[in-house]
Amino acid sequence: MYARAVAATTTALLGTAALLLPASDARAGAAHPTVIAHRGASAYAPENTLAAVDRAAELGISWVENDVQRTKDGELVVLHDDNLKRTTDAEQVFPDRAPWKVKDFTAAEIARLDAGSWFSPKYAGTRVPTLEQFMDRLELHHQKLLLEIKNPDLYPGIERQTLKVLDEEGWLDPHHLANRLIVQSFGADSIRTVHDLKPAVKTGFLGTPPEADLAGYAAFADQINPSYSSISRGYVASVHALTGPHGRPMEVFTWTVNDADTARLVAGYGVDGIISNKPDVVRDALPAGLRPGHESTAPAPGALSVAGRTVGTWTAKGSTSSRSCGPSSVATSVL
């Protein structure tokens, strides 16, 4: 009888403590920033190539971000810029094809280009991968994908096509949807379309909407993913205070953080993910308890155990919400 009374009192105290704690504090014991390799480990290998995926895997980085665009003949390829000049030798191979837009070249033509020499002679002959090739390499390493639909206004219907490729590659099964795939874009309409077509897919909006507008994005975006220079602890808390389309607190993945001091700063803000060209630098800058893979699964001695949120675990649910928000696209992006 006495034991039951003590247990009941303890349970009541634990429940009261959890209710009294601010939401961010309640999450702090369980949450840790996910580290994402930006365009692969792009400080060490040419961006958005299979070599950059391999380098991320060698560094022990599970999450890889990429950029998806479409060729003249309808193939999805992994490239950041809407033209081929910066990261390939298109100007030399096709000197009369200015301004060398991705959408003006076939997949076979792009496959001829050298996408590595601009970065280092070591990578001469590296090719621009198709989305399928990129995903196959991720699967080989058991990695996860933060996929950005790039310039959706240039490619009508790219959302449906991207989902089709993801499905054909087996990335829309429950396992991948649970914790291995996020689709993001600077275009709010694009992310809304992804959500409407496949509500189970976790989505992110790239940018820093005014705090007053954040609630509108919660109808179709699970994340708000801003530049690190545009956020504060208060902004991150405002995002976390909202419930996303899958019934869980919205998250913040911030970019592009390449040094230890900034990594510790934004981790202190409470962000859920840090996107970096140097993911190893970010990972190693975080205190051991905040590094991916180092989170504790048991409370410290004498600590209260409260309900928390663990980044990287996701229960996919459908949503039919149709609320709208502010801007549908952002003209310039650097992610």
Side-chain angles (χ1 to χ4, degrees), residues 27-52:
R27 286 195 302 268
H32 60 274
T34 297
V35 178
I36 305 98
H38 183 229
R39 310 177 200 169
S42 56
Y44 312 117
E47 65 183 57
N48 277 325
T49 65
L50 302 186

Side-chain angles (χ1 to χ4, degrees), residues 48-61:
N48 277 325
T49 65
L50 302 186
V53 175
D54 293 341
R55 188 71 182 109
E58 291 167 4
L59 294 171
I61 303 300

Side-chain angles (χ1 to χ4, degrees), residues 16-329:
T16 302
L19 290 171
L20 290 175
L21 281 173
S24 58
D25 291 339
R27 286 195 302 268
H32 60 274
T34 297
V35 178
I36 305 98
H38 183 229
R39 310 177 200 169
S42 56
Y44 312 117
E47 65 183 57
N48 277 325
T49 65
L50 302 186
V53 175
D54 293 341
R55 188 71 182 109
E58 291 167 4
L59 294 171
I61 303 300
S62 296
W63 278 94
V64 176
E65 186 263 358
N66 75 355
D67 306 284
V68 175
Q69 308 209 48
R70 189 166 65 202
T71 66
K72 183 178 181 179
D73 54 342
E75 287 291 324
L76 297 181
V77 291
V78 180
L79 278 160
H80 177 270
D81 300 358
D82 68 358
N83 69 78
L84 299 160
K85 293 195 301 181
R86 182 176 63 86
T87 59
T88 77
D89 60 349
E91 289 182 90
Q92 289 73 48
V93 178
F94 301 105
D96 59 345
R97 299 279 294 276
W100 299 282
K101 295 289 188 180
V102 175
K103 65 182 181 63
D104 295 333
F105 287 78
T106 66
E109 289 172 331
I110 291 176
R112 292 173 53 189
L113 301 177
D114 181 342
S117 291
W118 70 274
F119 185 86
S120 166
K122 173 183 176 182
Y123 292 102
T126 298
R127 302 304 176 191
V128 174
T130 64
L131 179 56
E132 292 93 338
Q133 290 168 339
F134 197 94
M135 293 162 60
D136 287 347
R137 189 58 61 94
L138 292 175
E139 199 69 76
L140 177 67
H141 296 308
H142 307 290
Q143 289 165 298
K144 307 174 184 184
L145 176 61
L146 175 58
L147 183 155
E148 180 182 345
I149 296 176
K150 206 73 184 175
N151 303 310
D153 291 345
L154 295 178
Y155 312 111
I158 191 173
E159 297 85 5
R160 185 181 296 275
Q161 184 179 3
T162 299
L163 290 171
K164 182 174 184 291
V165 172
L166 287 168
D167 190 26
E168 290 172 348
E169 291 292 309
W171 279 67
L172 296 186
D173 67 351
H175 171 63
H176 288 83
L177 289 174
N179 62 9
R180 291 187 63 187
L181 176 67
I182 304 169
V183 177
Q184 63 176 0
S185 179
F186 280 92
D189 283 346
S190 184
I191 289 306
R192 187 186 293 110
T193 297
V194 170
H195 176 71
D196 290 344
L197 289 171
K198 191 68 176 179
V201 172
K202 188 173 180 179
T203 55
F205 174 74
L206 283 160
T208 316
E211 290 187 43
D213 296 341
L214 287 173
Y217 291 83
F220 57 88
D222 300 288
Q223 298 179 337
I224 298 294
N225 296 343
S227 167
Y228 78 87
S229 63
S230 68
I231 62 172
S232 64
R233 185 188 303 272
Y235 188 87
V236 173
S238 293
V239 176
H240 285 163
L242 295 168
T243 299
H246 293 96
R248 308 192 77 172
M250 293 185 77
E251 298 173 345
V252 176
F253 279 18
T254 192
W255 48 272
T256 304
V257 176
N258 293 323
D259 65 274
D261 288 343
T262 305
R264 287 187 286 265
L265 175 68
V266 297
Y269 290 165
V271 301
D272 304 280
I274 303 175
I275 301 170
S276 177
N277 299 336
K278 299 179 177 180
D280 55 326
V281 171
V282 170
R283 177 196 58 207
D284 296 344
L286 300 177
L290 290 180
R291 295 179 195 169
H294 290 76
E295 66 275 15
S296 173
T297 57
L304 294 177
S305 177
V306 297
R309 175 179 56 146
T310 303
V311 175
T313 301
W314 189 259
T315 302
K317 300 177 182 176
S319 172
T320 57
S321 178
S322 61
R323 284 184 291 166
S324 63
C325 72
S328 61
S329 64

